[in-house]
Amino acid sequence: MSAIGPAGRAGRPTVELGRGGPAVGVQGLGCTGMSLAPGHIDRSTVRATLERALDRGVTLFDTADVYGAGANEELLAPFIRAHRDEVVVATKFGIAPDPFDPARRIVRGDRAYVRSRVEGSLRRLNTDRLDLFSLHGRDPSVPIEETVGAMAELVAEGKVAHLGLSEPTAPDVRAAAAVHPIAAVQCAWSLFDRAVEDDIVPAARETGAALVPSAPLGGGYLARMLRAEEDELHPGDLRRVLPRYAGEPARSNQALLSPLRHVARRHAATLPQIALAWVHHRAPAHGLPVVPLPGTRRPHRVDENTAAARITLTPGDLCLLEPLASQTVAPHHPEPALAV
């Protein structure tokens, strides 16, 4: 059945973010779009969205130093400061402008860069510690052990509580965990994106990490936010450079939503709620903690998204939804430097 009323803060369900990691609400909030999405949104609306999320049981708030060139971290700072002991602050580093071509982005993981980025994030977030500090893509020129070793030094110094990885390979997860415990692995996982189930999920389960799915709504497709044409995207929208969102791939992917609509009608729920309920079902299906990170800039979307955690999908529902990923055209992220 579909849950209608949102849960309050008292008695909210939590899950451990990896072996020995912090307890967080069963759903997080991806804050990317608060800085990067097209259109103006004022700070009062952002603050209202953050407050609503916390009230609905969300405690994991995810950002990165690359979002808005640090502006996203600064945007979260007043909220974090007001609720410091109630929230888990997660930020990422590693994606940087190419010094030879500012229009391009590269991935860095050298020791000096690691230290410089944590200091910048602490300053922008106006806090003395980061609860989760994640490598935002692997620097191919630096051994993962060296990067994670530098991150582990920050844990020893008390600047960081837990470490994570974003968009890693399975060997990277295992190699990183051999240097220091990894609390969370962030990667695209949705009804449209299931490649992680082949290798990343087993590696995370083996090393005791939680999975933190980014883009759990398929980058907008599963949230009714996109139709079939690239020209519907704002000129500054990152999705315009991703193959999934242009031309025939976009039209083909939009045509796959009929089973999702059928299941949504059965539960008197919305498409995003069913898509998120499916992601929540990955935890018992794969035997590891799963904390999806849907993003939104609107308080009413927080109500909608968090209600999804209380929807129980039937075996028949799951059977209808099972084929979608195998029919989806084009990956969500073509390369780490474009990952968000």
Side-chain angles (χ1 to χ4, degrees):
M1 63 179 291
S2 174
I4 299 175
R9 285 158 88 162
R12 60 195 179 194
T14 61
V15 63
E16 190 177 74
L17 195 64
R19 192 180 299 149
V24 298
V26 296
Q27 191 172 118
L29 180 64
C31 299
T32 319
M34 293 177 177
S35 297
L36 299 185
H40 171 74
I41 187 165
D42 60 46
R43 288 178 177 266
S44 63
T45 304
V46 168
R47 182 61 179 264
T49 301
L50 296 168
E51 295 285 354
R52 182 72 60 84
L54 182 59
D55 191 55
R56 299 307 186 242
V58 173
T59 58
L60 177 64
F61 294 85
D62 180 78
T63 182
D65 62 3
V66 72
Y67 299 161
N72 196 253
E73 292 177 325
E74 293 174 346
L75 191 63
L76 297 184
F79 169 76
I80 299 299
R81 185 167 58 252
H83 301 285
R84 191 62 192 92
D85 293 332
E86 297 181 85
V87 301
V88 173
V89 182
T91 194
K92 302 180 288 293
F93 77 96
I95 298 179
D98 186 332
F100 302 104
D101 182 0
R104 294 184 66 252
R105 297 196 293 179
I106 61 173
V107 182
R108 286 188 60 181
D110 54 280
R111 184 175 299 272
Y113 190 74
V114 172
R115 299 198 72 87
S116 70
R117 299 323 290 175
V118 76
E119 297 298 341
S121 289
L122 288 170
R123 182 179 66 255
R124 287 185 293 271
L125 287 162
N126 193 17
T127 184
D128 61 354
R129 72 184 189 280
L130 303 175
D131 299 312
L132 181 66
F133 191 49
S134 296
L135 175 62
H136 204 172
R138 162 75 185 281
D139 183 344
S141 68
V142 179
I144 188 73
E145 294 86 351
E146 179 179 330
T147 302
V148 175
M151 295 165 68
E153 292 174 2
L154 302 173
V155 176
E157 295 169 12
K159 296 176 179 179
V160 170
H162 303 280
L163 303 184
L165 303 173
S166 179
E167 303 294 335
T169 65
D172 284 346
V173 173
R174 294 185 174 95
V179 176
H180 189 278
I182 299 299
V185 173
Q186 184 172 332
C187 49
W189 198 4
S190 73
L191 278 166
F192 272 16
D193 302 279
R194 298 184 60 180
V196 295
E197 296 175 18
D198 296 333
D199 50 9
I200 300 297
V201 168
R205 185 173 56 239
E206 171 190 322
T207 58
L211 248 293
V212 182
S214 57
L217 298 177
Y221 282 113
L222 303 172
R224 316 172 311 267
M225 292 169 61
L226 298 174
R227 290 190 285 277
E229 298 298 333
E230 178 189 14
D231 59 12
E232 292 182 2
L233 297 175
H234 185 273
D237 196 313
L238 175 63
R239 290 171 294 184
R240 291 181 67 89
V241 304
L242 303 181
R244 171 174 291 184
Y245 302 93
E248 186 54 38
R251 287 185 286 274
S252 296
N253 291 331
Q254 281 295 312
L256 300 178
L257 298 182
S258 180
L260 191 66
R261 294 190 180 97
H262 179 80
V263 175
R265 286 194 296 270
R266 183 183 297 176
H267 288 269
T270 65
L271 267 64
Q273 286 178 327
I274 297 303
L276 285 169
W278 181 90
V279 175
H280 282 293
H281 187 269
R282 299 302 88 197
H286 291 276
L288 80 170
V290 176
V291 183
L293 289 171
T296 184
R297 303 189 298 171
R298 303 292 182 186
H300 73 278
R301 292 296 185 202
V302 170
D303 292 342
E304 179 181 359
N305 291 343
T306 53
R310 303 188 297 281
I311 296 174
T312 301
L313 298 179
T314 68
D317 296 333
L318 295 169
C319 186
L320 278 174
L321 300 173
E322 180 67 24
L324 292 187
S326 64
Q327 300 167 0
T328 304
V329 180
H332 180 67
H333 297 319
E335 58 180 283
L338 286 175
V340 296

